[in-house]
Amino acid sequence: MKEQLLWLYRQVTRSQRYRLLDTLRYVGQVPVGILFYHRVADTHSNPWTLSRSDFSRQLDWLQKYFDIVDLEEAQRRVRMAHCEQPTVSITFDDGYSENADFAIPELVQRKLPATYFVSTDFVRTGASFPHDLEAGTALAPNTIAQLREFAEQGIEIGAHTRTHADLGQVQDVGRIVDEILGSVHDLEDWLEGTVRYFAFPFGQPQNMTQAAVDVVARAGLAGFCSAYGAWNWPNSMGFHLRRIHADPKLEKLKNWLTYDSRKLCEQVELPFVEPRVDRRAKRQPNNSEHCFQTLVG
Ligand SMILES: [Zn+2]
């Protein structure tokens, strides 16, 4: 029923949406959408799982109407003064083993880029996420071998803390550094490459702090993702990358991505000031130990 209501709402506002997109294109201010998924599987359905067929249908629709770009290109378009091309970037959070069965092969087969954010303690131990245990299903996290295979296939691996911590609740700088840079360091160790992006677990404004954002910036990461549902406007600093939840079904995604005027303005107040970062600065891989020292001590 909810899907039908959303469909109806989208039909009623259809011409308004077309006009809005025309105007945004004309003035070169088409915002960039960055999507986040968690798990694609046909078993253990929950609010953070999308079925295989629903995922394929979403990709079909996205490929028809958008440039699908990697996070670096999305960031470049956000930083440009003008963007005329409807653009989305695909990301995943947490690191579920079953994504190796369908979601990632499907993206690779379609030659679509994606960024895959992983909480590394679960990969190391094989333990299930607390939110899955609370929901009564012990789902398996990715293995190191799976992440290596994803990376070899061109999927960018990003950091998502070590323990899936709510960093909005962590005051201790040492712990913040361990969660953020520890996960970066784990991944760089396993993948022998540079990790460039970080995504805050939960990703709502209350799950992010100035201290944590500063750790991300001072570590020389290229940017970080939130998850509270917002667009990225051109001519922005582009260090903070706002994301839109894509686990719900296609109609909800269509409603978001066809430029619903109610969703175009940021509705929330952020608990941090976006830091100015030197975009030319590049991290060297495996220098996190050094970062630990400089950030903590
Ligand atoms: Zn997460």
Side-chain angles (χ1 to χ4, degrees):
M1 185 59 196
K2 215 173 161 207
E3 287 244 316
Q4 283 167 342
L5 275 177
L6 266 178
W7 178 84
L8 195 63
Y9 169 64
R10 194 162 56 84
Q11 299 313 313
V12 169
T13 53
R14 198 181 182 96
S15 59
Q16 181 198 334
R17 289 170 191 239
Y18 277 126
R19 277 201 307 277
L20 181 60
L21 178 57
D22 274 349
T23 307
L24 292 170
R25 287 184 108 144
Y26 182 72
V27 296
Q29 293 298 301
V30 179
V32 173
I34 303 175
L35 309 178
F36 69 100
Y37 296 89
H38 288 89
R39 174 174 174 265
V40 175
D42 288 340
T43 56
H44 302 298
S45 167
N46 63 31
W48 49 96
T49 297
L50 195 62
S51 74
R52 292 179 175 196
S53 60
D54 281 340
F55 185 61
S56 294
R57 281 174 65 219
Q58 286 202 6
L59 294 182
D60 290 343
W61 184 76
L62 291 169
Q63 283 184 286
K64 198 164 162 192
Y65 295 106
F66 295 86
D67 280 358
I68 303 179
V69 301
D70 64 19
L71 216 45
E72 185 179 18
E73 174 61 17
Q75 201 172 24
R76 196 185 67 80
R77 293 186 187 196
V78 169
R79 285 171 170 164
M80 291 192 311
H82 292 272
C83 180
E84 293 168 21
Q85 193 54 34
T87 301
V88 297
S89 189
I90 293 172
T91 72
F92 277 75
D93 278 7
D94 296 354
Y96 283 100
S97 177
E98 285 137 308
N99 291 330
D101 301 336
F102 184 79
I104 299 300
E106 183 72 3
L107 289 167
V108 170
Q109 192 239 320
R110 294 178 187 235
K111 298 188 170 53
L112 295 178
T115 307
Y116 197 86
F117 291 103
V118 179
S119 296
T120 55
D121 269 7
F122 302 92
V123 175
R124 189 196 335 275
T125 62
S128 297
F129 289 95
H131 47 263
D132 289 317
L133 294 175
E134 274 165 36
T137 41
L139 299 169
N142 286 117
T143 62
I144 295 173
Q146 283 175 332
L147 296 179
R148 282 191 185 133
E149 203 179 318
F150 294 175
E152 277 162 20
Q153 290 173 313
I155 303 295
E156 174 149 21
I157 310 293
H160 194 49
T161 72
R162 275 183 156 155
T163 69
H164 205 265
D166 173 1
L167 292 177
Q169 299 297 319
V170 182
Q171 317 294 330
D172 178 60
V173 180
R175 166 111 199 273
I176 296 171
V177 170
D178 182 61
E179 286 285 355
I180 296 174
L181 285 183
S183 62
V184 168
H185 181 64
D186 291 340
L187 291 168
E188 290 186 341
D189 245 16
W190 297 337
L191 305 171
E192 295 173 17
T194 309
V195 169
R196 301 188 299 170
Y197 295 99
F198 173 76
F200 276 91
F202 312 103
Q204 300 296 309
Q206 68 270 22
N207 308 122
M208 303 181 280
T209 62
Q210 187 73 56
V213 167
D214 289 346
V215 165
V216 174
R218 280 156 58 197
L221 290 168
F224 71 89
C225 292
S226 59
Y228 56 86
W231 289 92
N232 300 276
W233 289 94
N235 213 10
S236 300
M237 290 165 71
F239 189 69
H240 170 203
L241 298 164
R242 294 149 173 84
R243 295 188 298 173
I244 295 166
H245 197 185
D247 288 334
K249 289 191 174 180
L250 181 60
E251 188 51 45
K252 199 155 184 193
L253 189 72
K254 283 185 179 175
N255 190 49
W256 254 103
L257 293 185
T258 51
Y259 309 98
D260 181 353
S261 60
R262 296 186 313 166
K263 293 190 185 297
L264 281 170
C265 297
E266 188 150 272
Q267 311 280 348
V268 302
E269 221 169 287
L270 296 172
F272 57 83
V273 178
E274 198 171 337
R276 291 205 166 274
V277 291
D278 181 359
R279 290 174 209 167
R280 289 159 305 175
K282 282 255 190 296
R283 287 188 67 242
Q284 295 303 312
N286 294 318
N287 67 347
S288 329
E289 293 296 355
H290 171 70
C291 292
F292 274 106
Q293 298 312 320
T294 43
L295 285 167
V296 180

